[in-house]
Amino acid sequence: MERKMEENTVRDVETGSETGGEDALVGNVNKLMVSPPGYSGAPRKGHLVFDACFESGNLGRVDYISEFEFDLFIRPDTCNPRFRVWFNFTVENICETQRVIFNVVNFSKTKSLYRDGMSPVVKSTSRPKWQRLPAKNVYYYRCPDHRRNYVMSFAFCFDREDDVYQFAYCYPYTYSRLQHYLSSLERRNLPYLQREQLGLSVQQRRLDLLTITNPEHHSGLEREKKLVFLTARVHPGESPASFICQGVIDFLVSQHPVAQVLRDHVIFKIVPMLNPDGVYLGNYRCSLMGFDLNRHWQDPSPWAHPTLHAVKQLIVQMNQDPRVSLEFYIDVHAHSTMLNGFMYGNVFEDEERVQRQAVFPRLLCQNAPDFSFSNTSFNRDVVKAGTGRRFLGGLLDDTSYCYTLEVSFYSYTTAGSTAPVPYTEETYMKLGRNVARTFLDYYKLNNLIKDSRPIYIQSSEVRPHTDDSNGKDEGVGRDAADREREKSHGVRH
């Protein structure tokens, strides 16, 4: 606990306030019917029923203000009252055309992309594809009724009586979805993909490790192959990281000529979900026991931080193996106050090393229209000392590069435009595909592409894998601009 107290004394501008008070809620609402005060008759249509007792759900309390207005309280991360950001809940028993205002009243952060037009996402039983609420229906303001806390209010009109509606901070990507996706990949028996269980979380969930490379290199790693290590979801509420990670995996296991060349020359090791308990529980930043795992890389405990401990052991072991050239460590996150994709890197005394470290983000900027090199920064902030990027930056030798890849929870702007384009599940995955593609440029392997097609990745060339056995499609639709581009390139489906 000493280390835990220490962690709380350093103020981290990215995390939020440290107040608990009335917000120290425990547990999610469970099929909670919210009737007018004093009402004692039979439940009626329009008495809303709220529920967050499901995987990745989060809603701690609902207060009835009027028949049109409800105050919603986020349940803090388990064992840590400091973090209240992620929400994910359902509403049912509505009246057709019932209009409501929901006020989310206890965010632990004040700065938010809600100031810049971000809005929650919604889906319903008859419309299962997530969509963002119109920005004009969302208000973010300092509220005198709630101790001058920042409140996010959104207006919504229910339109189908029998639907169950679900609202979330961002597109959820659950532990079960990951397991379903990895199982469907495994069933394809790809010779260049290996899945193994690297360990278990405190609550005994799988810590998966994927190795993607050509089969003759699975055993006895050979000197001439480079190794790239990628991790995601150390912060469980940062769900866009999982879409990026899936985009990387989908691309690397595809038949795209760039992917084939990369598998010949590089070993990719990917841990898609570092904090499976936190994801499952609907936490924003912490594990089951209230630890921000990304502050514990220096000395992870096998019982308190088992997933981190297992990954760190593997990286240290590979780093000591003379046959392994561990060149990249990239940890994928999502950012709640900035736009675009961007990176954090480390600061070095050696100017040449500083320049070399900037190469990958510069190349990624050329490949991904939503990636911002100007937002990319290199730092040695004391608060970040226990992060994967900082710890491994100190452990690995000077030919290795450690980055945090961040992507906005909300949107990106492209060169020459100021209009923000909201991210979708598909555009997050596309950023992942572009990250994978950038290793081709980094290692200057372009001349090995045998195919004469343009090697810029169109979204049709790498379709997110779908598992037809149960009729569920893990992939998501493509936007109109993609379809236009595909037509112009003559890409066949």
Side-chain angles (χ1 to χ4, degrees):
M1 278 314 286
E2 200 170 74
R3 179 177 307 280
K4 185 74 175 39
M5 293 302 291
E6 230 173 76
E7 170 187 303
N8 284 349
T9 58
V10 182
R11 177 82 175 171
D12 188 337
V13 291
E14 283 187 15
T15 61
S17 69
E18 293 160 25
T19 58
E22 68 169 63
D23 304 326
L25 308 160
V26 179
N28 285 319
V29 297
N30 183 2
K31 297 286 184 191
L32 173 73
M33 178 171 286
V34 182
S35 308
Y39 181 85
S40 58
R44 297 226 294 254
K45 269 281 190 197
H47 291 178
L48 301 184
V49 173
F50 292 83
D51 188 44
C53 277
F54 52 83
E55 190 178 357
S56 292
N58 185 314
L59 182 64
R61 173 176 140 198
V62 182
D63 287 357
Y64 179 100
I65 306 300
S66 74
E67 69 179 292
F68 305 110
E69 189 172 3
F70 301 83
D71 281 355
L72 311 181
F73 293 78
I74 296 168
R75 169 188 57 73
D77 284 8
T78 51
C79 303
N80 196 326
R82 285 178 61 200
F83 302 108
R84 301 176 307 279
V85 176
W86 173 260
F87 58 83
N88 182 12
F89 61 92
T90 62
V91 180
E92 57 191 304
N93 196 44
I94 55 112
C95 275
E96 206 165 313
T97 74
Q98 186 172 357
R99 291 166 186 275
V100 295
I101 293 172
F102 289 146
N103 308 309
V104 181
V105 301
N106 68 333
F107 283 109
S108 59
K109 300 176 90 155
T110 55
K111 279 182 74 181
S112 173
L113 284 164
Y114 289 124
R115 290 172 171 171
D116 302 309
M118 184 167 101
S119 59
V121 294
V122 63
K123 68 174 187 174
S124 72
T125 5
S126 64
R127 287 150 299 187
K129 184 173 164 49
W130 287 102
Q131 40 195 293
R132 288 188 188 271
L133 293 171
K136 65 181 185 345
N137 294 359
V138 180
Y139 310 88
Y140 188 70
Y141 56 98
R142 198 163 217 161
C143 181
D145 295 344
H146 292 284
R147 303 188 313 222
R148 294 187 49 72
N149 268 359
Y150 276 86
V151 169
M152 187 270 293
S153 296
F154 62 95
F156 191 78
C157 182
F158 294 103
D159 60 350
R160 299 191 185 173
E161 279 201 3
D162 298 325
D163 267 17
V164 177
Y165 291 77
Q166 187 171 348
F167 300 91
Y169 181 77
C170 193
Y171 312 106
Y173 193 114
T174 61
Y175 171 77
S176 295
R177 174 170 178 167
L178 175 70
Q179 293 305 310
H180 174 83
Y181 169 67
L182 296 181
S183 299
S184 64
L185 276 181
E186 234 181 345
R187 282 197 294 274
R188 291 163 69 185
N189 291 317
L190 302 169
Y192 42 78
L193 171 74
Q194 183 183 329
R195 177 192 185 190
E196 56 196 293
Q197 183 177 299
L198 190 55
L200 291 169
S201 67
V202 174
Q203 289 186 316
Q204 306 297 293
R205 292 190 180 89
R206 284 181 65 104
L207 175 68
D208 281 289
L209 171 70
L210 299 184
T211 304
I212 302 171
T213 194
N214 268 359
E216 62 272 23
H217 299 281
H218 269 328
S219 55
L221 301 170
E222 305 205 1
R223 188 178 295 280
E224 74 275 10
K225 284 191 105 172
K226 321 290 189 189
L227 194 139
V228 171
F229 206 106
L230 189 103
T231 57
R233 293 301 280 283
V234 70
H235 290 150
E238 296 175 11
S239 56
S242 283
F243 294 102
I244 289 177
C245 196
Q246 183 174 326
V248 171
I249 296 165
D250 278 331
F251 182 72
L252 291 176
V253 301
S254 74
Q255 292 308 307
H256 192 288
V258 171
Q260 292 176 13
V261 169
L262 285 173
R263 292 194 298 264
D264 278 341
H265 291 83
V266 186
I267 299 165
F268 291 91
K269 297 256 180 201
I270 301 174
V271 176
M273 198 169 276
L274 261 176
N275 187 352
D277 291 347
V279 171
Y280 187 89
L281 294 164
N283 286 353
Y284 176 64
R285 200 171 175 92
C286 295
S287 65
L288 165 78
M289 292 160 72
F291 293 109
D292 178 346
L293 295 182
N294 206 34
R295 297 293 181 271
H296 288 276
W297 276 91
Q298 283 156 320
D299 189 21
S301 145
W303 68 270
H305 326 109
T307 56
L308 206 60
H309 184 263
V311 172
K312 179 182 167 180
Q313 269 194 318
L314 175 65
I315 292 175
V316 168
Q317 183 188 324
M318 289 191 309
N319 189 48
Q320 291 165 349
D321 186 334
R323 297 165 302 166
V324 178
S325 175
L326 178 50
E327 304 225 328
F328 279 90
Y329 171 74
I330 300 177
D331 190 25
V332 191
H333 289 249
H335 207 282
S336 67
T337 62
M338 288 175 72
L339 301 185
N340 291 69
F342 59 95
M343 282 178 145
Y344 292 125
N346 293 319
V347 175
F348 304 106
E349 306 302 332
D350 174 8
E351 182 55 32
E352 192 205 337
R353 191 176 179 191
V354 170
Q355 294 304 323
R356 289 203 312 265
Q357 190 189 211
V359 171
F360 188 85
R362 282 186 194 283
L363 291 171
L364 179 53
C365 192
Q366 290 167 21
N367 288 333
D370 56 319
F371 184 84
S372 164
F373 188 75
S374 60
N375 284 353
T376 293
S377 65
F378 304 93
N379 67 60
R380 53 157 64 119
D381 180 351
V382 64
V383 164
K384 304 298 176 65
T387 64
R389 164 179 65 86
R390 283 287 301 282
F391 171 75
L392 294 169
L395 172 81
L396 305 177
D397 66 29
D398 63 4
T399 59
S400 305
Y401 301 102
C402 299
Y403 304 95
T404 302
L405 171 62
E406 296 272 3
V407 67
S408 176
F409 271 112
Y410 168 44
S411 71
Y412 59 94
T413 55
T414 52
S417 166
T418 52
V421 182
Y423 273 108
T424 63
E425 293 172 89
E426 168 59 23
T427 49
Y428 283 133
M429 289 198 211
K430 182 185 271 183
L431 178 55
R433 296 196 289 270
N434 284 326
V435 168
R437 145 93 178 80
T438 300
F439 287 104
L440 187 88
D441 299 330
Y442 184 84
Y443 289 120
K444 299 188 170 60
L445 300 170
N446 303 59
N447 57 335
L448 299 174
I449 301 292
K450 299 180 181 68
D451 201 301
S452 59
R453 286 185 304 173
I455 56 176
Y456 286 98
I457 297 167
Q458 308 304 330
S459 89
S460 68
E461 291 174 337
V462 186
R463 301 295 292 275
H465 178 63
T466 59
D467 176 21
D468 296 324
S469 60
N470 62 3
K472 277 175 73 171
D473 189 341
E474 289 287 314
V476 289
R478 300 185 310 281
D479 60 25
D482 278 341
R483 289 194 290 272
E484 284 307 308
R485 225 175 288 120
E486 287 161 15
K487 269 190 264 177
S488 68
H489 278 87
V491 177
R492 294 195 308 277
H493 290 290

